[in-house]
Amino acid sequence: EAGVAQSPRYKIIEKRQSVAFWCNPISGHATLYWYQQILGQGPKLLIQFQNNGVVDDSQLPKDRFSAERLKGVDSTLKIQPAKLEDSAVYLCASSAGGLFGYTFGSGTRLTVV
Amino acid sequence: GENVEQHPSTLSVQEGDSAVIKCTYSDSASNYFPWYKQELGKRPQLIIDIRSNVGEKKDQRIAVTLNKTAKHFSLHITETQPEDSAVYFCAAGYTGNQFYFGTGTSLTVIP
């Protein structure tokens, strides 16, 4: 089966600019997650979708981050405006739910200068 | 929410020796405990997982143990090889829901 697709792989932007990341989950996976992984740390959940609805966005900095999954398939995560501390790898993961774990995409490495 | 602690943060072993990484969790309702291996610049890859109704699970050189009473679980790698060198993350949560990750263990296997 095809894996979780993410793009772009790398992005360098200046602080205060905006950026968007895209994720296409494994076909049929209803649950989609966006994680932020800062260098040297474990992944931290930003937002969880079930189909096109938000399950948990309690750790999403909503003043600057937004995410959507309009048709319940692919998803976009946006940062506007970016700060230096947003430099991290943004990982998307998807799950079939139930008793299954989930699969990560390759991630987008964001550098804010 | 769940809080997962992981130790040690770095671990060096000689090739052929065993490596043990330990994690504790706080939420007794967590029922699923996956372990991920992340090589430099790559995505985390699931290497083994255990559910709360099982005390131990083994897959070739890798084993995981779970003590629900003490709320801790461990990863054991035997006969380590240089290709085992990576960062390992434990996680805890509910299946179908988010996982909370530990801070990672950087394992180096010295040839």
Side-chain angles (χ1 to χ4, degrees), chain B residues 77-104:
Chain B
I77 306 174
T78 58
E79 300 171 20
T80 53
Q81 301 168 3
E83 51 265 39
D84 294 330
S85 295
V87 178
Y88 292 81
F89 292 98
C90 64
Y94 321 127
T95 50
N97 210 323
Q98 65 165 295
F99 302 147
Y100 295 85
F101 285 81
T103 49

Side-chain angles (χ1 to χ4, degrees), chain B residues 32-47:
Chain B
Y32 180 69
F33 308 89
W35 286 87
Y36 286 83
K37 175 183 180 182
Q38 188 174 30
E39 297 175 354
L40 191 63
K42 296 189 176 181
R43 76 187 77 184
Q45 298 263 22
L46 178 69
I47 55 172

